[in-house]
């Protein structure tokens, strides 16, 4: 099932999405209930707050085969834990800029605010990220190749 | 140089005699000509070992968290320490992070004009046998078997020292003024801007090239005063964040995350670069986060114990143009 071709029309990116339980996950759920169509490229991990996401999760995701990572939280001022998303905002600004400096395409590490009522917005964001990553192709930098077969390719 | 050394020795003697400290951390002559070693002085006769010269490189504050870790039933060790500008910034950071209290230590600050890169100097001597060296305010005169060679200090300074903005300690109990010449007004470090100007593939190849030299000895981590974690993320097995082998992806992520853990804390002392036995160009990667934190949050680490660490604080209007919006 692994896609080896780098033909962008055939390439289906794998995107890991960390969604905060109170806003973004609910927003994604609303998108589903409202039958908004969006690409089925994301794999979701529900976290209590965007501030819970450790940059090491992003690193591990990129190392192990994801082509992109999304972290989505509540809008500033609306965090269920009051200030979690503020800390997250600072942390992820640095993560994105740092990985960009080292060579990783910034479109592969994305952050967004999606509230629980923004089902359509969630679908649009996923469409945008999927399109961006499709254009870039499969992840080359940072990926850990663990099999001899992969190394030979 | 000699005057500063004498002052350090006499101050240390007095601190020990007045029973203000149990141990003093300074530098002594190393086993090789252009090296000094950290030195732990407990008694008066040992004080004579202390030296001060342009090879006093180590960041001595790396020993503080271990010495001052409170142990039940044990008496508190009182520590005296010699701090250059950069070492002092590290001490301030450790105080902020509650690894030690200001009252636990007596700081002898010393103004510093930069440390000479002993590897670079050594390589210029083409293997000639070194008898000794003398220091003048702006040069090192090396005495070889058959001749004397003079080297201008400014040409051999460590990279971090060339761009040092705070050579004089801010927080101290005693300040010793060294008669070294002060460096030129700080020129902003071009490394980060130059590296950013290269294209993405080149940057990745440079990262790969540098990191492929790494042997995972962890000397950089052990030399860094900010790396005082009892269990490092790199060696955690539950969860296992990264592998411990020299697989390139694991090496890269070790450094990327160790440096990222320094965001807002790294004082650019250069200890990691000096400690690396393989000559990995770490500063190219560490410097970026130092500049980014200063630009983005207007914060410089190590200047005051009253500052708030940038990642433990926030502003309602923090910049968020990096976030994704649907088209």
């Amino acid at each position: 099932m692994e896609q080896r071709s780098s033909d962008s029309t055939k390439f289906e990116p794998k995107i890991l999405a960390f969604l905060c339980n109170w806003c973004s996950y609910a927003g994604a759920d609303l998108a589903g209930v409202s039958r908004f169509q969006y690409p089925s490229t994301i794999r979701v991990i529900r976290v209590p707050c965007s501030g819970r996401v450790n940059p090491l999760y992003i690193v591990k995701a990129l190392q192990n085969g994801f082509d992109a990572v999304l972290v989505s939280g509540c809008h500033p001022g609306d965090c269920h834990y009051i200030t979690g998303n503020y800390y997250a905002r600072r942390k992820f600004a640095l993560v994105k800029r740092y990985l960009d400096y080292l060579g990783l395409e910034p479109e592969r590490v994305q952050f967004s605010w999606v509230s629980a009522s923004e089902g359509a917005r969630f679908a649009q964001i996923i469409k945008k990220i999927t399109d961006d990553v499709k254009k870039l192709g499969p992840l080359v930098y940072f990926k850990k190749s663990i099999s001899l077969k992969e190394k030979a390719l | 140089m000699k005057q500063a050394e004498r002052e350090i020795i006499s101050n240390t003697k007095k601190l020990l005699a007045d029973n203000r400290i149990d141990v003093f951390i300074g530098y002594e002559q190393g086993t090789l000509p252009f090296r000094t070693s950290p030195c732990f002085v407990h008694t008066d006769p040992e004080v004579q070992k202390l030296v001060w010269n342009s090879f006093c490189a180590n960041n001595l504050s790396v020993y503080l968290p271990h010495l001052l870790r409170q142990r039940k039933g044990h008496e508190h060790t009182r520590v005296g320490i010699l701090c250059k500008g950069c070492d002092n910034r590290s001490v301030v950071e450790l105080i902020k992070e509650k690894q030690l209290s200001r009252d636990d230590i007596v700081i002898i600050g010393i103004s510093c004009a930069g440390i000479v890169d002993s590897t670079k100097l050594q390589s210029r001597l083409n293997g000639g046998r070194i008898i000794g060296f003398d220091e003048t305010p702006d040069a090192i005169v090396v005495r070889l078997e058959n001749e004397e060679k003079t080297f201008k200090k400014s040409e051999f300074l460590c990279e971090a020292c060339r761009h040092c903005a705070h050579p004089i300690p801010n927080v101290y109990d005693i300040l010793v003024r060294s008669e070294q010449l002060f460096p030129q007004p700080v020129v902003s470090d071009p490394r980060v801007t130059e590296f950013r100007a290269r294209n993405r593939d080149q940057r990745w190849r440079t990262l790969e090239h540098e990191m492929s030299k790494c042997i995972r000895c962890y000397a950089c981590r052990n030399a860094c005063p900010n790396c005082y974690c009892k269990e490092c993320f790199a060696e955690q097995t539950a969860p296992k964040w990264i592998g411990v082998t020299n697989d390139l992806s694991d090496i890269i992520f070790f450094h990327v995350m160790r440096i990222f853990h320094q965001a807002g804390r790294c004082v650019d002392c250069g200890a990691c670069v000096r400690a690396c036995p393989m000559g990995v160009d770490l500063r190219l990667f560490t410097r970026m986060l130092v500049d980014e934190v200063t630009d983005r949050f207007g914060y410089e680490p190590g200047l005051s114990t009253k500052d708030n660490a940038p990642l433990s604080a926030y502003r309602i209007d923090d910049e968020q143009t990096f976030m994704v919006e649907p088209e």
Side-chain angles (χ1 to χ4, degrees), chain B residues 20-246:
Chain B
R20 271 179 75 187
I21 55 174
D22 299 312
V23 63
F24 184 79
I25 314 176
Y27 303 96
E28 62 175 338
Q29 178 56 43
T31 48
L32 296 172
F34 299 145
R35 303 271 184 185
T36 56
S37 287
C39 164
F40 296 79
V41 170
H42 295 85
T43 61
D44 192 283
E46 291 176 328
V47 176
Q48 298 305 323
K49 287 195 292 187
L50 293 172
V51 299
W52 172 252
N53 56 46
S54 290
F55 299 107
C56 288
N58 301 64
N59 188 333
L60 297 174
S61 58
V62 69
Y63 299 108
L64 291 177
H66 183 73
L67 277 176
L68 293 169
R69 233 161 226 170
Q70 288 233 334
R71 293 174 300 161
K72 262 197 190 154
H74 287 261
E75 267 198 26
H76 221 16
T77 315
R78 296 159 309 155
V79 179
I81 184 171
L82 180 65
C83 279
K84 313 192 287 287
C86 48
D87 308 343
N88 198 251
R89 297 202 296 279
S90 288
V91 171
V92 167
E93 282 299 304
L94 287 174
I95 292 172
K96 279 215 300 253
E97 294 178 6
K98 309 247 195 306
Q99 291 305 302
L100 57 114
S101 151
R102 178 69 182 89
D103 306 321
D104 293 338
I105 53 175
V106 176
I107 302 174
I108 298 184
I110 181 152
S111 57
C112 170
I115 296 301
V116 169
D117 187 338
S118 49
T119 324
K120 208 169 158 189
L121 191 59
Q122 190 87 41
S123 64
R124 283 288 209 95
L125 290 170
N126 295 324
R129 188 163 153 255
I130 303 163
I131 312 288
F133 70 90
D134 296 304
E135 254 194 273
T136 68
D138 62 344
I140 310 241
V141 180
V142 184
R143 282 175 277 122
L144 300 166
E145 265 178 317
N146 302 318
E147 54 175 330
E148 265 190 13
K149 282 194 180 169
T150 307
F151 298 95
K152 276 196 76 172
K153 278 191 218 176
S154 55
E155 286 169 27
F156 289 88
L157 284 182
C158 291
E159 195 188 325
C161 301
R162 264 183 266 140
H163 303 284
C164 177
H166 305 281
I168 308 177
N170 263 346
V171 174
Y172 53 82
D173 293 287
I174 302 162
L175 184 65
V176 172
R177 293 239 172 220
S178 168
E179 71 268 18
Q180 287 167 287
L181 273 185
F182 274 92
Q184 302 296 315
V186 177
V187 176
S188 71
D189 194 344
R191 290 271 255 150
V192 171
T193 347
E194 272 174 9
F195 191 69
R196 236 194 267 275
R198 299 199 220 161
N199 79 40
R200 205 163 285 288
D201 204 52
Q202 281 178 318
R203 279 184 262 153
W204 170 248
R205 302 261 160 258
T206 309
L207 178 67
E208 261 195 329
H209 173 72
E210 288 300 322
M211 292 306 164
S212 58
K213 298 181 201 165
C214 174
I215 56 174
R216 298 293 287 274
C217 68
Y218 299 127
C220 51
R221 179 192 71 179
N222 294 344
C224 176
N226 281 334
C227 282
Y228 50 74
C229 289
K230 285 193 180 147
E231 190 182 15
C232 179
F233 81 93
E235 288 161 337
Q236 257 183 304
T237 50
K240 185 179 172 192
W241 298 114
I242 56 173
V244 293
T245 63
N246 63 348

Side-chain angles (χ1 to χ4, degrees), chain A residues 19-32 114-119:
Chain A
L19 303 182
C20 92
N21 175 69
W22 304 98
C23 284
S24 296
Y25 189 82
D29 193 58
L30 182 60
V114 174
S115 91
S117 58
E118 291 175 331

Side-chain angles (χ1 to χ4, degrees), chain A residues 21-87:
Chain A
N21 175 69
W22 304 98
C23 284
S24 296
Y25 189 82
D29 193 58
L30 182 60
V33 163
S34 317
R35 300 278 186 259
F36 288 127
Q37 291 292 316
Y38 62 85
S40 56
T41 50
I42 62 165
R43 281 76 166 153
V44 171
I45 293 180
R46 183 172 64 108
V47 292
C49 179
S50 50
R52 173 66 180 87
V53 180
N54 187 338
L56 274 165
Y57 300 162
I58 299 176
V59 153
K60 220 161 155 57
L62 294 173
Q63 245 200 333
N64 287 290
F66 281 101
D67 300 298
V69 179
L70 166 69
V71 178
S72 186
C74 309
H75 285 271
D78 294 343
C79 177
H80 182 81
Y81 305 98
I82 322 292
T83 52
N85 56 354
Y86 290 136
Y87 295 124

